[in-house]
């Protein structure tokens, strides 16, 4: 368990405290100040909460196992739905008369920014990046276009099923490379 920059370890009913290792887990201020920016992960969740695509986007992305990805996808889907119901703000063009139906759009935490784009069909495109990475919303919209162009036009792809389209994977790689070199707003 982690608590305020320390790692707590339990062994034989005793608790030992160690200082948290530095390096990859630097404070947010240090990451922004040193200019480190980059994409970490992309995951796509279907309208039922099933994970249909996940992959690391950069060399600094932490390694996450398949079971953890499945938990992350379903947990995010649930939190997104709860946030939509709990929001007191009614946005223009909202389908839900009682509150916002947009759910989570962005979460900023120490060392991580999570940005989400929910489509009209309920598919959620989620990208994580280091703080200070610009234009996450633009990148998500471009990934959505790639999904429509590559995966949905693949005659072997079935909706709501995992995306196993090499053309989509290659297109996302090319997009991330281009954005990291030139920026999202330049084409």
């Amino acid at each position: 368990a982690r608590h305020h920059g320390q790692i707590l370890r339990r062994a034989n009913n005793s608790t030992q405290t160690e200082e948290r290792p530095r390096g990859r887990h630097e404070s947010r201020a240090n990451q922004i100040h040193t200019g480190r920016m980059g994409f970490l992960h992309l995951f796509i969740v279907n309208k039922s909460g099933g994970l249909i695509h996940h992959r690391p986007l950069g060399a600094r992305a932490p390694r996450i196992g398949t079971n953890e990805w499945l938990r992350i996808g379903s947990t995010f889907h649930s939190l997104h739905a709860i946030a939509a119901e709990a929001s007191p703000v009614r946005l223009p063009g909202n389908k839900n008369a009682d509150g916002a139906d947009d759910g989570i759009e962005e979460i900023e935490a120490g060392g991580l920014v999570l940005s989400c784009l929910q489509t009209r069909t309920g598919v959620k495109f989620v990208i994580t990046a280091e703080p200070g990475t610009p234009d996450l919303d633009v990148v998500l919209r471009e990934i959505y276009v790639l999904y429509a162009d590559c995966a949905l036009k693949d005659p072997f792809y079935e909706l709501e099923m995992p995306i196993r389209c090499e053309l989509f994977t290659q297109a996302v790689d090319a997009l991330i490379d281009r954005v990291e070199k030139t920026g999202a707003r330049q084409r």
Side-chain angles (χ1 to χ4, degrees):
R2 292 181 190 229
H3 180 65
H4 300 291
Q6 297 178 336
I7 298 174
L8 300 177
R9 295 184 185 203
R10 298 193 193 279
N12 300 331
N13 294 329
S14 67
T15 303
Q16 302 170 352
T17 305
E18 299 176 10
E19 284 300 312
R20 186 176 73 159
R22 299 289 177 208
R24 257 182 41 186
H25 303 287
E26 295 173 337
S27 72
R28 182 174 166 221
N30 285 346
Q31 286 181 344
I32 292 172
H33 190 64
T34 59
R36 285 181 32 180
M37 295 182 286
F39 299 100
L40 298 174
H41 289 280
L42 167 68
F43 63 99
I44 304 172
V45 179
N46 66 20
K47 65 182 176 184
S48 305
L51 184 69
I52 58 174
H53 188 75
H54 67 87
R55 59 186 303 221
L57 296 176
R60 291 191 297 260
R63 295 197 183 275
I64 300 174
T66 302
N67 288 338
E68 287 81 16
W69 272 116
L70 292 171
R71 277 194 294 273
I72 289 169
S74 64
T75 301
F76 182 78
H77 175 75
S78 299
L79 291 174
H80 192 276
I82 291 168
E85 291 297 320
S87 177
V89 178
R90 186 167 191 281
L91 300 175
N94 195 336
K95 301 180 296 222
N96 185 352
D98 298 326
D101 62 353
D102 297 315
I104 297 170
E105 292 181 352
E106 187 170 279
I107 298 173
E108 191 167 342
L112 175 79
V113 175
L114 179 144
S115 187
C116 175
L117 169 69
Q118 180 175 332
T119 67
R120 295 280 184 197
T121 59
V123 176
K124 293 167 203 63
F125 292 82
V126 183
I127 195 166
T128 61
E130 294 173 309
T133 304
D135 302 324
L136 293 178
D137 56 335
V138 174
V139 172
L140 280 172
R141 284 194 301 269
E142 289 190 33
I143 290 173
Y144 176 46
V145 169
L146 294 174
Y147 168 75
D149 286 345
C150 301
L152 293 181
K153 292 179 183 177
D154 182 346
F156 301 106
Y157 177 69
E158 294 181 37
L159 287 176
E160 304 294 312
M161 297 304 290
I163 301 168
R164 306 246 188 265
C165 177
E166 190 63 30
L167 186 60
F168 176 69
T169 302
Q170 292 170 353
V172 169
D173 286 343
L175 170 66
I176 296 302
D177 287 343
R178 177 181 57 84
V179 168
E180 287 182 339
K181 289 178 183 165
T182 63
R185 301 216 187 263
Q186 300 172 358
R187 289 194 174 209

